[in-house]
Amino acid sequence: MGLIVQKFGGSSVANAERVMNVARIVTDTYAKGNDVVVVVSAQGDTTDDLIEKAKEINPNANKREMDMLLTAGEQISIALLSMAIEKLGYKAKSLLGWQAGFNTNSVYGSARIKKVDTKRIKLELQKKHIVVVAGFQGLNKYEDLTTLGRGGSDTSAVAIAAAMQADRCQIFTDVDGVYTADPRKVKGAVKLDEITYDEMLELATLGAQVLNNRSVEMAKKYNVVVEVLSSLERKPGTLVKETVKMEKMLVRGVTADKNVARISIIGVPNIPGIAYKIFGKLAAKNINVDIILQSVGRNDTKDITFTVAGDNAGEALEVLNTLDFLAGKTIECDNENVAKVSAVGAGMETHPGVAAKMFEALFEADINIQMISTSEIKISVLIDKKDADKAVNAVHDAFLPDSAD
Ligand code: ASP
Ligand code: MG
């Protein structure tokens, strides 16, 4: 018995049958004697569809109006789920983000939660209601609606769990947990019982779709244990927490990110301040730079190569074109043919030789490495995109050879 926060994503509430399925999960949890707060996303592709509708009318729509539009998706879900819960004979109360106390900053489209005032939620729980909260939304100081950015409902759920000190935060989705690699691409991929916040953050940032990375940051900050599990099968999922049993697992996940562009600037002056000026300008435009490689200077010039998300390549090139000292220099951009393959594991921090083993696996698969970057718990290599799936399999097999059984 305790307080449980359960979040259901868009696919879990996509149609009437799925909404009833969610109502059964929620009411079963309540019937076991728990207080339950449910957070839901918009049904199926609703958010994408609303974005399309806006584009038909004004592709450069004001962000405030976009948020006004997009919050409607979650409003539909909370009403329908509450109706479903009542049909099963339980009391439910739906709350929009502002009614549930979500105060955010004023950045429309990617607002940050400042505070969750849980007064109303607590009141409804005292009245023995199952509380159904609209994810992804809040209210700013102008009393205007805001949204938290795509996939933001995960963050809403973790924020409620943190503010209410819930006993558990369960994120239900259409996969049954976090895998060592994409199971559609890697035969031996297995579901993990546990993963650390840091590992999950790296994997979420590398494009593993299971959890939104802001939600993981928040869970880490407030030490909320998150369970990722399937809304369609009733079985335990993956726990995301501070520390996990290390076992012999040096690597806990292998991913391929194909949304990568490699940009090279040839022959920049070999003097102080060049990297600062280039990367400072990119940062000012909020362009995240990942792997950076600078050659040793020769004959007064040096080359700088770096990667950015494929979606940001165009903007990055525009920024470079505004820099006087790059005028006339050769700038190459490959947005088509590169991929980043990464191995993530908290265990590698204390074990030497992980990088060497990864490089050996790639060598044996005859895959050329273009760039390398490492952090305490991650090794990434940039390779030819056509080799990406082969590389993930090779690295996965090298570190997780027994995972298939
Ligand atoms: N409905 C929003 C989206 O699709 C929020 C969410 O699903 O978490 O991004
Ligand atoms: Mg959604």
Side-chain angles (χ1 to χ4, degrees):
M1 277 210 291
L3 171 64
I4 302 192
V5 175
Q6 299 187 316
K7 181 258 168 178
F8 296 87
S11 60
S12 300
V13 292
N15 52 42
E17 193 191 322
R18 294 265 174 103
V19 173
M20 287 310 302
N21 171 56
V22 168
R24 278 189 288 274
I25 296 175
V26 170
T27 52
D28 284 351
T29 311
Y30 180 87
K32 288 187 184 130
N34 300 294
D35 283 338
V36 185
V37 180
V38 192
V39 175
V40 275
S41 299
Q43 292 186 287
D45 296 327
T46 302
T47 307
D48 290 324
D49 295 345
L50 290 172
I51 292 172
E52 278 310 309
K53 268 190 207 297
K55 277 193 187 147
E56 278 174 28
I57 289 173
N58 182 353
N60 297 315
N62 180 311
K63 288 195 168 166
R64 177 190 182 275
E65 302 310 328
M66 282 307 291
D67 280 1
M68 186 61 96
L69 179 69
L70 297 189
T71 49
E74 273 68 15
Q75 178 162 357
I76 295 172
S77 299
I78 55 171
L80 292 176
L81 180 58
S82 300
M83 293 171 195
I85 292 171
E86 294 197 334
K87 188 168 175 199
L88 295 180
Y90 294 82
K91 288 197 292 182
K93 184 79 92 181
S94 62
L95 299 176
L96 290 168
W98 67 268
Q99 294 175 299
F102 276 82
N103 294 308
T104 72
N105 69 9
S106 301
V107 184
Y108 298 106
S110 57
R112 295 243 170 202
I113 299 167
K114 287 168 92 173
K115 188 177 162 219
V116 188
D117 179 352
T118 56
K119 219 171 37 238
R120 178 76 187 270
I121 296 180
K122 284 184 181 141
L123 191 78
E124 300 301 341
L125 289 175
Q126 272 163 18
K127 292 187 193 159
K128 294 291 152 206
H129 286 126
I130 293 172
V131 180
V132 183
V133 178
F136 174 59
Q137 54 174 259
L139 198 72
N140 67 17
K141 65 179 178 200
Y142 308 111
E143 300 197 324
D144 280 337
L145 298 177
T146 54
T147 66
L148 308 179
R150 297 306 306 269
S153 301
D154 291 347
T155 313
S156 308
V158 173
I160 292 178
M164 309 252 325
Q165 301 190 319
D167 297 286
R168 204 182 282 190
C169 181
Q170 296 183 309
I171 307 276
F172 289 85
T173 170
D174 51 4
V175 294
D176 58 0
V178 182
Y179 277 73
T180 51
D182 184 342
R184 289 165 304 185
K185 305 238 167 81
V186 177
K187 222 170 74 230
V190 288
K191 192 179 86 189
L192 296 160
D193 294 332
E194 309 182 308
I195 186 167
T196 68
Y197 295 125
D198 290 331
E199 290 169 328
M200 192 65 234
L201 254 183
E202 292 283 10
L203 292 176
T205 310
L206 291 167
Q209 296 276 322
V210 273
L211 276 182
N212 174 280
N213 53 356
R214 271 203 197 170
S215 73
V216 185
E217 273 168 14
M218 183 171 297
K220 178 178 160 72
K221 185 163 169 201
Y222 295 101
N223 210 6
V224 175
V225 176
V226 172
E227 183 181 10
V228 178
L229 68 175
S230 163
S231 61
L232 303 172
E233 295 164 79
R234 303 232 184 166
K235 58 180 192 195
T238 302
L239 291 176
V240 188
K241 48 213 270 273
E242 183 60 38
T243 52
V244 305
K245 292 186 279 334
M246 274 305 169
E247 298 158 5
K248 290 188 213 91
M249 251 181 164
L250 288 181
V251 166
R252 215 176 301 270
V254 184
T255 63
D257 181 358
K258 295 179 185 168
N259 175 27
V260 186
R262 187 193 60 218
I263 298 177
S264 300
I265 314 171
I266 315 294
V268 297
N270 189 19
I271 53 171
I274 295 293
Y276 159 61
K277 285 175 189 153
I278 292 173
F279 296 113
K281 257 280 165 32
L282 291 166
K285 290 278 175 193
N286 262 325
I287 298 172
N288 220 351
V289 173
D290 188 29
I291 312 177
I292 301 177
L293 201 100
Q294 178 179 294
S295 70
V296 175
R298 270 186 229 290
N299 303 331
D300 300 332
T301 66
K302 59 193 175 191
D303 305 336
I304 293 181
T305 303
F306 59 91
T307 64
V308 293
D311 309 332
N312 289 338
E315 211 188 330
L317 291 175
E318 280 171 27
V319 170
L320 297 180
N321 282 329
T322 64
L323 295 169
D324 304 343
F325 60 90
L326 295 184
K329 305 285 182 228
T330 306
I331 300 178
E332 293 166 358
C333 175
D334 189 340
N335 197 359
E336 294 291 314
N337 305 307
V338 291
K340 186 173 69 175
V341 169
S342 309
V344 173
M348 66 176 71
E349 206 170 349
T350 45
H351 284 80
V354 176
K357 190 165 169 182
M358 176 163 168
F359 304 152
E360 182 186 10
L362 293 168
F363 163 66
E364 278 172 0
D366 201 22
I367 293 166
N368 189 37
I369 300 172
Q370 301 175 9
M371 294 170 87
I372 300 169
S373 84
T374 63
S375 78
E376 276 142 358
I377 67 163
K378 179 183 76 172
I379 302 160
S380 296
V381 294
L382 196 77
I383 59 169
D384 199 319
K385 191 188 258 176
K386 69 172 173 19
D387 291 331
D389 293 342
K390 187 164 84 165
V392 171
N393 273 282
V395 176
H396 190 274
D397 285 352
F399 288 102
L400 301 148
D402 306 323
S403 47
D405 46 55

